Amino acid sequence: MQYSQKVLDHFMHPHNVGKMDNPDATATEGSPSCGDQVTVYLKVNHDSKVIEDVSFLSYGCASNIATASIITDLAKGKSLDEAKAITWRDAMEALDGLPPVKVHCSVLAADTLQTAISNYEIAHGLKEVPNFSKDTILEELKKIIYPQVGEDIVSLKMVKYVGFTDGEVLIDLNMMSFDSWRQNVAEEIHEHLEKYPEVKKIQINFP
Amino acid sequence: MKPGKIYLDNCVTSAMAPEVLDAMLPYFSEKFWYPGSFVSTGESANEALAGFQQVVADSIKADAAEIHFTSGGTLANNIAIKGLAGALKGGHVICSVVDYPDLLTNAAYLEKQGFEVSYLSADSQAMIDLTELKAAIRPDTVLFMTTIVNHVVGTIQPVREISDILAAAGHKIWFHADAGQAYGKIPLNMQELGIDTMSISAHKIHGPQGIGALYVRKGTKLGQVIHGVKRVDGLQTGGLSLALIAGFAKAVELNFSDFEGNVARLRQLSDYLYQKLQEKIPYIELNGAPGEGRAPHNINVSIDYIEGEAITMMLDMHGITVATGSACASQGLKANYVLMAIGKTHVQSHGSMKFTLSRYTTKEDLDFTVDTLAQITEELRSRSPLYNALRNQER
């Protein structure tokens, strides 16, 4: 497994690193038990809605630090609407790629940025707190990377069924019993969905 | 920076001693023969092989006939475990959750073959519980396996006490031991330990890669695992390099010529390393047993609030090679199973660093490593949300 020179550069000399004093919005995603956690801080111009400053803190591996560094570079100076269009694929591309098992780091970085923006918008009355629905689950599943190939499980057509009734999430996954990534993917799904208070129970079925 | 300028991952493999290369060269060129009878070339190889067997046997107080050369420790473990299982046909096997993967994967294989396996737990220092062992023994228990020195945290299992318990069972329980990390680091006396089969490896003690040995106590019956023509040894049939065996024997001579001195020096260095780590890096803790309870070449610590892959990569850029138990550094994205089994948290496992020293490690190497690691820790902690949260709490 090799990192690109860009990843190494951003890992050794990350941009926009450090805690921000008096940020306009912040978000923390990931969990130490999964080995990675990112916090993003935003300073937003209230009139122009431009991200004037952005910084991050990262507990995690080299690619976790590098993806947080690049995502803050990509967001700096952008309007909120422009920044909302930044995805993990943009981060990957800007870093000249990542090893497949590390793609989930770019998802975490992009996710944290998006949550920070969303927190800003909610706090400033720019949007309502979104209702939790089956679509929310589907959006979250698009952020789960199958580590073998570095693509998300929805694009890979591994998600066969998603249901949500009375706080119970039901997901059918097309992953064979000999697939050594089953546990990783299941843990990731739990991590992504358990943060919603609407989710009381998660049932994942394999063939 | 030259890769591996300071190499502190000697539990994986160690630098070959120059004397070992010299000892091997004749067997790669003019003395390329295999053992044989009635011809001078074969007889010469016989004689050389017998000499090498004797050297290895002496190092563990065994008989030369009890030493079987193999293509490394894993081959030795497989030949012993599958060989014992083949002779036993079925029954109950005991090992522990902190054993070396060779033993655990073989245990899983035995389960598929119809054996029942009990996995003993380990305490917070990776020591197996002898009371639990006593309770696990059944009338149909046929095999016990252990890793004498734990490959992750260096804890030494109480082998003598274990064999006393096995002997008191009232029926024969075969005892297989993996000595990959123990051999050359702690005394192993086959006259006293009650072990039936034991695997050792050359390249962990500055010998060549690709050669090891299996000790098989006289009277132990092993089913044949590797079928083929006997060239060098009847257990691993087929060709085995006499040159590698010559190198192995030389490495053994070098290691055991001043065994106590070597061990004392390693102990002194690793004590020094741990002391220096504690002095220079706050929020650090030892994994495994302290002091004499661990092998003299292993120091495993968890550095709180930062992650091991990032640390090892930064150390690598300074020419320092160490290992980590972080999930992020593993291909399977799993936290180290030994650390998890001894009750460490995910965060402690992610931040774990394993330093394994060798005869060639110097005090200067360790000074440079700890100073560099202290800087790296400070840098990574300044980026860490966990560390920042801690600092906020302290304020």
Side-chain angles (χ1 to χ4, degrees):
Chain A
M1 187 173 70
Q2 276 293 0
Y3 284 126
S4 70
Q5 191 56 47
K6 273 243 177 91
V7 173
L8 294 179
D9 291 345
H10 277 269
F11 163 54
M12 289 307 283
H13 309 287
H15 305 170
N16 316 309
V17 68
K19 189 169 179 284
M20 188 186 284
D21 290 329
N22 306 316
D24 293 316
T26 169
T28 297
E29 296 274 353
S31 78
S33 71
C34 299
D36 46 17
Q37 185 173 317
V38 175
T39 301
V40 166
Y41 304 92
L42 296 180
K43 181 85 64 191
V44 182
N45 184 309
H46 299 313
D47 301 321
S48 64
K49 301 286 179 269
V50 164
I51 296 174
E52 289 183 332
D53 198 11
V54 50
S55 72
F56 77 93
L57 287 174
S58 154
Y59 162 76
C61 60
S63 77
N64 198 56
I65 291 168
T67 50
S69 170
I70 200 86
I71 210 90
T72 51
D73 269 358
L74 292 173
K76 207 174 198 168
K78 298 265 170 43
S79 70
L80 290 181
D81 282 339
E82 286 167 338
K84 279 195 278 187
I86 299 170
T87 68
W88 61 269
R89 291 178 200 276
D90 298 325
M92 277 259 295
E93 206 173 302
L95 287 170
D96 296 338
L98 282 171
V101 294
K102 296 292 183 180
V103 173
H104 69 100
C105 295
S106 64
V107 177
L108 179 65
D111 223 19
T112 316
L113 171 69
Q114 295 307 334
T115 308
I117 294 172
S118 174
N119 287 347
Y120 177 88
E121 290 185 325
I122 292 167
H124 290 81
L126 299 174
K127 77 168 193 187
E128 301 278 306
V129 180
N131 277 332
F132 187 88
S133 70
K134 220 171 89 172
D135 287 342
T136 319
I137 300 171
L138 218 53
E139 282 310 308
E140 289 295 338
L141 293 180
K142 283 182 191 162
K143 298 174 191 167
I144 314 279
I145 302 297
Y146 181 57
Q148 182 86 30
V149 293
E151 253 304 336
D152 75 87
I153 57 173
V154 176
S155 302
L156 290 169
K157 302 200 187 316
M158 295 174 120
V159 180
K160 288 290 157 204
Y161 173 81
V162 175
F164 183 65
T165 29
D166 302 333
E168 187 173 344
V169 178
L170 188 67
I171 299 170
D172 286 349
L173 280 187
N174 192 12
M175 289 179 85
M176 293 298 139
S177 59
F178 50 79
D179 193 321
S180 61
W181 298 105
R182 266 186 175 190
Q183 200 194 336
N184 288 75
V185 169
E187 281 170 10
E188 280 261 314
I189 292 175
H190 276 271
E191 197 200 332
H192 276 253
L193 295 180
E194 276 166 0
K195 65 187 175 195
Y196 293 98
E198 293 86 351
V199 173
K200 307 284 179 231
K201 196 180 161 201
I202 301 167
Q203 167 84 35
I204 303 171
N205 296 319
F206 296 105
Chain B
M1 188 62 63
K2 189 169 158 269
K5 192 184 69 169
I6 296 178
Y7 183 82
L8 298 174
D9 201 10
N10 289 285
C11 68
V12 171
T13 193
S14 66
M16 198 168 75
E19 298 93 327
V20 167
L21 181 62
D22 291 340
M24 290 196 292
L25 288 175
Y27 296 92
F28 279 124
S29 48
E30 71 264 29
K31 295 184 184 178
F32 60 89
W33 317 299
Y34 270 146
S37 303
F38 312 117
V39 284
S40 56
T41 49
E43 296 287 4
S44 154
N46 281 343
E47 205 178 304
L49 182 63
F52 301 145
Q53 250 171 327
Q54 191 62 55
V55 170
V56 176
D58 288 347
S59 71
I60 55 170
K61 308 277 184 294
D63 278 349
E66 294 174 314
I67 300 299
H68 300 264
F69 290 108
T70 65
S71 304
T74 296
L75 243 297
N77 280 325
N78 273 273
I79 290 171
I81 300 167
K82 293 194 171 79
L84 284 166
L88 294 164
K89 310 285 188 223
H92 174 238
V93 177
I94 304 171
C95 61
S96 90
V97 290
V98 294
D99 273 320
Y100 190 57
D102 279 9
L103 304 196
L104 292 176
T105 49
N106 267 288
Y109 170 80
L110 293 187
E111 284 191 80
K112 280 192 183 156
Q113 301 306 306
F115 286 80
E116 261 187 82
V117 181
S118 296
Y119 298 88
L120 304 178
S121 61
D123 68 11
S124 60
Q125 297 184 349
M127 191 81 89
I128 61 170
D129 182 344
L130 297 182
T131 318
E132 197 185 340
L133 169 62
K134 276 182 208 159
I137 293 173
R138 313 189 316 206
D140 64 338
T141 303
V142 288
L143 171 64
F144 173 80
M145 312 192 276
T146 198
T147 311
I148 299 179
V149 165
N150 185 270
H151 57 295
V152 177
V153 293
T155 301
I156 305 169
Q157 301 298 345
V159 176
R160 183 63 248 182
E161 286 86 335
I162 290 171
S163 32
D164 287 345
I165 292 169
L166 299 180
H171 69 279
K172 177 66 187 171
I173 300 173
W174 299 93
F175 184 178
H176 173 70
D178 177 300
Q181 293 303 322
Y183 182 61
K185 309 296 192 317
I186 63 169
L188 296 169
N189 183 339
M190 293 302 106
Q191 316 272 332
E192 291 174 356
L193 290 179
I195 291 169
D196 295 306
T197 54
M198 183 176 83
S199 61
I200 59 179
S201 174
H203 70 112
K204 316 267 191 194
I205 58 159
H206 304 299
Q209 295 172 348
I211 194 77
L214 177 64
Y215 160 82
V216 182
R217 190 217 283 263
K218 225 169 281 162
T220 306
K221 228 177 135 45
L222 296 184
Q224 192 71 29
V225 175
I226 312 283
H227 299 90
V229 64
K230 178 189 167 183
R231 292 286 181 217
V232 175
D233 191 273
L235 289 181
Q236 187 176 337
T237 52
L240 262 176
S241 164
L242 230 64
L244 296 181
I245 295 172
F248 186 1
K250 178 52 79 177
V252 173
E253 276 176 24
L254 294 169
N255 192 90
F256 287 86
S257 64
D258 179 22
F259 179 71
E260 273 149 30
N262 278 333
V263 169
R265 202 182 144 274
L266 276 177
R267 177 75 69 193
Q268 217 170 17
L269 279 175
S270 61
D271 285 349
Y272 176 74
L273 170 63
Y274 180 49
Q275 183 203 331
K276 207 145 184 249
L277 285 166
Q278 283 177 298
E279 273 169 30
K280 300 252 170 165
I281 302 174
Y283 308 109
I284 195 166
E285 67 209 274
L286 186 72
N287 295 319
E292 299 283 320
R294 67 193 302 128
H297 65 306
N298 175 309
I299 290 293
N300 189 316
V301 294
S302 285
I303 304 178
D304 289 347
Y305 313 114
I306 53 176
E307 187 279 327
E309 189 227 58
I311 306 170
T312 49
M313 279 186 60
M314 282 197 173
L315 283 172
D316 184 51
M317 287 176 198
H318 289 89
I320 303 166
T321 305
V322 296
T324 173
S326 171
C328 307
S330 74
Q331 276 299 311
L333 295 177
K334 295 234 177 12
N336 183 276
Y337 70 93
V338 171
L339 295 174
M340 297 308 287
I342 65 174
K344 300 291 167 180
T345 63
H346 277 92
V347 175
Q348 286 168 323
S349 177
H350 295 318
S352 72
M353 306 301 303
K354 179 169 66 169
F355 307 85
T356 42
L357 318 186
S358 86
R359 205 161 68 225
Y360 297 128
T361 308
T362 65
K363 198 162 162 276
E364 290 68 38
D365 291 345
L366 300 179
D367 284 334
F368 180 70
T369 300
V370 176
D371 289 343
T372 311
L373 181 59
Q375 286 167 23
I376 289 171
T377 301
E378 205 176 323
E379 168 66 34
L380 288 173
R381 278 183 178 162
S382 78
R383 303 179 190 176
S384 162
L386 308 184
Y387 191 65
N388 273 267
L390 173 86
R391 298 292 298 277
N392 281 346
Q393 275 172 18
E394 285 176 348
R395 260 180 223 141

